[in-house]
Amino acid sequence: MLEFQDDARLILGVDMGATHVAVALTNLRGRILAWNEKMHPVRSDPEGTRELIEQLCEACLAEVPGAARALQGIGVAVPAPVDHMDPMQLSPIVLPAWGGHSGLESLETRFRVPVYVENDANLGAMAEGWWGAGRGLEDFTYIKLATGIGAGLMVGGEISRGVSSAAGEIGHVSIDPNGEPCLCGNRGCLVTFVGGEALVRRAQAGLADAPDSLLARGEVTPGTIEQAALAGDRLAVSVVREAAHHLGVAIAGLLNLLNPGAVILGGSLVRLGNDLLRPLRATVVQRTLVSSVAASEIRISELGPRGTSLGAATMVLAEALRHTSSSDGTR
Ligand SMILES: [Zn+2]
């Protein structure tokens, strides 16, 4: 029997969000040994983002003696579809300032290890499948709630990417044909109801009628909405309920289409737990064929805000194992 020496090789997992960068240094068992995160206007500043990623990677390596020598590779999660045939390309629709290219090859030059890039929701699904709420499931869907909304579709134990690697773009499923215009050109996409900016807009609009709300005390962000809802703030709770309802409409469609073993939610709002799940499940029950069973399998991520960078590191591990198994014929 072969067994891992958990710390023999180490991996950097990068979570490049729309407004932040986070980097985890993990061992081969998915344990996070170092962690660094910083807010950054990723969408508008490609050059600064690449520099920040390098800095945070260096900072993680500096925290663990011998880490640079043990580095196996770097995985990067990006908030856009990633073409599997050309992973350094970036969707010009989601991240126009990046000019269609991530430029993350620079990490390969600097750290002298292979760099892999993948869509963030796909990596969230991978992390849940290996280490989290999807363990033991061959078929499940992970939905990441953030500035954008994406889904990672695990089908038969593999990520299902579709013919041009754009599967899982659930944020751009239109749930109201007469709704607000979306950056993709459609109207009423799920992201225009549940995306980070939509939540903030909805909360700000509600402040006129709720001047006593906790949200009136400072900048409104998805994080402060989550915090205020946890404290029972009426405006925040109503924003969350509305978002849960819209999310439920999209998830009901997903359940009818894919019949996954579970739907796992990660990202913004998930610290609310049952306060998010209860109204969401109620909508799903009204709208799916085998409603109550399907609704009960909607769960919250077990990995929390570090799930995406953990997934990015897991991708490197999966690649290494794939190469090992193809070179010596074992698996
Ligand atoms: Zn859209």
Side-chain angles (χ1 to χ4, degrees), residues 2 22 93 111 116 126 133 170 183 205 254 282 328:
L2 293 174
I93 296 169
F111 295 96
Y116 304 92
M126 197 178 225
I170 194 171
L183 57 86
L254 180 96
D328 66 9

Side-chain angles (χ1 to χ4, degrees), residues 30-283:
R31 195 160 78 83
I32 294 176
L33 308 175
W35 169 264
N36 281 282
E37 181 176 26
K38 206 169 174 202
M39 299 305 286
H40 190 81
V42 168
R43 278 182 299 187
S44 57
D45 180 21
E47 193 57 49
T49 300
R50 284 188 287 265
E51 267 167 41
L52 178 60
I53 290 174
E54 291 187 13
Q55 281 169 20
L56 297 182
C57 285
E58 293 282 12
C60 282
L61 291 174
E63 285 177 36
V64 177
R69 254 179 295 119
L71 190 63
Q72 172 75 26
I74 303 176
V76 186
V78 298
V82 172
D83 183 345
H84 221 49
M85 303 309 287
D86 187 4
M88 292 299 170
Q89 261 193 354
L90 270 186
S91 160
I93 296 169
V94 183
L95 296 165
W98 287 65
H101 193 83
S102 73
L104 292 167
E105 302 93 324
S106 62
L107 291 174
E108 250 161 10
T109 318
R110 173 131 175 200
F111 295 96
R112 299 170 182 279
V113 290
V115 172
Y116 304 92
V117 181
E118 174 62 283
N119 170 261
D120 56 0
N122 286 350
L123 292 176
M126 197 178 225
E128 295 296 335
W130 280 59
W131 322 107
R135 262 173 306 176
L137 294 178
E138 293 264 288
D139 295 88
F140 70 89
T141 299
Y142 170 82
I143 297 179
K144 181 171 182 181
L145 308 173
T147 304
I149 314 282
L153 312 174
M154 191 68 80
V155 178
E158 298 280 340
I159 299 285
S160 174
R161 294 190 173 80
V163 73
S164 61
S165 304
E169 287 300 311
I170 194 171
H172 298 287
V173 169
S174 177
I175 58 169
D176 177 4
N178 303 313
E180 302 270 321
C182 178
L183 57 86
C184 73
N186 268 333
R187 278 184 175 275
C189 291
L190 179 64
V191 70
T192 67
F193 292 94
V194 186
E197 286 161 2
L199 296 178
V200 168
R201 265 200 314 276
R202 174 70 191 81
Q204 282 169 338
L207 278 176
D209 295 326
D212 301 337
S213 166
L214 294 172
L215 295 173
R217 297 183 189 171
E219 193 196 351
V220 180
T221 67
T224 60
I225 294 169
E226 184 180 55
Q227 194 63 38
L230 279 168
D233 181 81
R234 272 175 59 187
L235 173 59
V237 168
S238 82
V239 170
V240 169
R241 286 210 183 120
E242 207 177 304
H245 166 69
H246 290 121
L247 199 55
V249 172
I251 288 177
L254 180 96
L255 292 171
N256 283 336
L257 203 60
L258 291 178
N259 185 216
V263 174
I264 302 168
L265 302 177
S268 321
L269 306 184
V270 303
R271 276 198 303 144
L272 289 160
N274 279 331
D275 289 342
L276 175 70
L277 291 180
R278 232 177 282 118
L280 196 164
R281 285 182 178 137
T283 300

